[in-house]
Amino acid sequence: MLYTLLISLILIGVCVLLLGIKIFFVKAGRFPHFHISGNKEMMKRGIDCVESQDRKARKPSRLGVKE
């Protein structure tokens, strides 16, 4: 039981180290930006994330009629 736990912890530690190798060992290492608003190709095509689209849709229009 203890042997299996030890092997599992070592394996998980190695996996975390390999996944974060750029972040841990590069001077300016940081996590990549995966948000749609940070993607240059999506910006060229005018595609926003759902949160941005919702924010724009909820923003009251200056020209709209107040109820």
Side-chain angles (χ1 to χ4, degrees):
M1 175 77 177
L2 185 60
Y3 180 74
T4 306
L5 182 64
L6 185 63
I7 294 296
S8 299
L9 288 176
I10 290 172
L11 185 62
I12 290 171
V14 168
C15 290
V16 167
L17 185 67
L18 290 174
L19 286 171
I21 200 159
K22 182 179 178 184
I23 297 162
F24 296 140
F25 297 115
V26 175
K27 186 174 183 179
R30 56 188 164 150
F31 287 105
H33 185 69
F34 289 116
H35 203 264
I36 292 174
S37 63
N39 189 326
K40 293 178 185 176
E41 286 299 318
M42 294 291 194
M43 284 184 205
K44 286 180 187 176
R45 297 176 184 171
I47 299 172
D48 290 329
C49 68
V50 174
E51 294 173 0
S52 299
Q53 289 177 349
D54 186 49
R55 191 178 314 117
K56 288 177 187 176
R58 291 176 185 264
K59 186 177 178 181
S61 174
R62 294 183 309 139
L63 303 174
V65 177
K66 296 183 180 180
E67 296 180 25

